[in-house]
Amino acid sequence: MILIILFIIFVLFLLLIMTFSHAPIFKISKDRIVQIKKYGLLHFTSKENAKTIIETTKLIGTKSNMSFLEKRLGKMIWFYDNMPKQLECKHNCLKKKYKAQNQKGAYDVCLLVTNLNDDHLKKFHTRKGLINDSPSVYFGDELNNVKITILKRW
């Protein structure tokens, strides 16, 4: 009986760790802010969304449908650091996700977002832990007054 209780506690502990590991609840570091200002951020999207984003020069935040915690964080826009040698790796990782496998063309365009100011950067967070892909996540309804260009299409 004790082993069963310990097993249940262990499983619940793992679920808790996974929930907090996926949630972007940590502020980005000052070093990372410097890097973002210098190189910008990557945002992967569909061809249809890319067209709208380029035309309006703004990105629209969406509520997460992942974990309980993420759903409570509000609207977010997900980015990755602009590291050219990692572009294909990030794209391949995203293409393996559920959304990409069930939504044709979900991540077929990579946008480069630059000219982020201090007010924008105050609203950025990241995640740490088991899923350590270090996204930069903007918390808000929309991100505008930035420069957005198409970096690559697949």
Side-chain angles (χ1 to χ4, degrees):
M1 184 65 161
I2 291 176
L3 288 177
I4 293 172
I5 292 171
L6 288 174
F7 178 74
I8 291 171
I9 291 171
F10 177 74
V11 169
L12 291 173
F13 179 71
L14 285 178
L15 289 172
L16 185 66
I17 288 174
M18 289 173 63
T19 297
F20 280 97
S21 292
H22 196 271
I25 56 175
F26 302 96
K27 285 289 208 181
I28 57 173
S29 68
K30 290 179 183 178
D31 290 340
R32 190 135 171 218
I33 289 172
V34 170
Q35 180 180 334
I36 291 169
K37 284 182 174 181
K38 186 173 182 180
Y39 299 109
L41 291 168
L42 304 176
H43 179 74
F44 294 88
T45 191
S46 66
K47 290 176 184 174
E48 296 80 23
N49 287 347
K51 183 180 178 191
T52 302
I53 291 167
I54 296 295
E55 287 172 358
T56 62
T57 65
K58 68 180 174 184
L59 291 130
I60 306 297
T62 57
K63 282 192 125 185
S64 175
N65 61 357
M66 294 294 286
S67 70
F68 172 81
L69 178 60
E70 274 188 51
K71 290 177 183 178
R72 303 301 178 266
L73 293 175
K75 292 186 177 181
M76 300 179 277
I77 307 168
W78 293 72
F79 299 90
Y80 289 97
D81 294 348
N82 182 18
M83 307 291 268
K85 293 180 182 178
Q86 295 181 2
L87 177 63
E88 292 298 326
C89 178
K90 294 291 185 193
H91 180 251
N92 290 338
C93 288
L94 286 170
K95 292 300 279 185
K96 293 176 185 172
K97 290 188 173 209
Y98 177 83
K99 179 180 176 182
Q101 292 178 359
N102 292 290
Q103 222 175 330
K104 189 175 186 314
Y107 300 112
D108 284 352
V109 178
C110 179
L111 302 175
L112 176 61
V113 179
T114 55
N115 294 349
L116 292 150
N117 62 38
D118 290 331
D119 288 334
H120 295 135
L121 293 166
K122 287 177 190 172
K123 297 180 180 181
F124 274 89
H125 292 75
T126 191
R127 67 177 165 218
K128 299 177 183 177
L130 296 177
I131 305 171
N132 198 11
D133 55 351
S134 301
S136 296
V137 183
Y138 178 82
F139 283 40
D141 292 336
E142 64 182 43
L143 177 62
N144 52 22
N145 299 320
V146 294
K147 182 178 178 186
I148 305 170
T149 54
I150 295 175
L151 184 64
K152 185 167 181 173
R153 298 171 204 234
W154 284 271

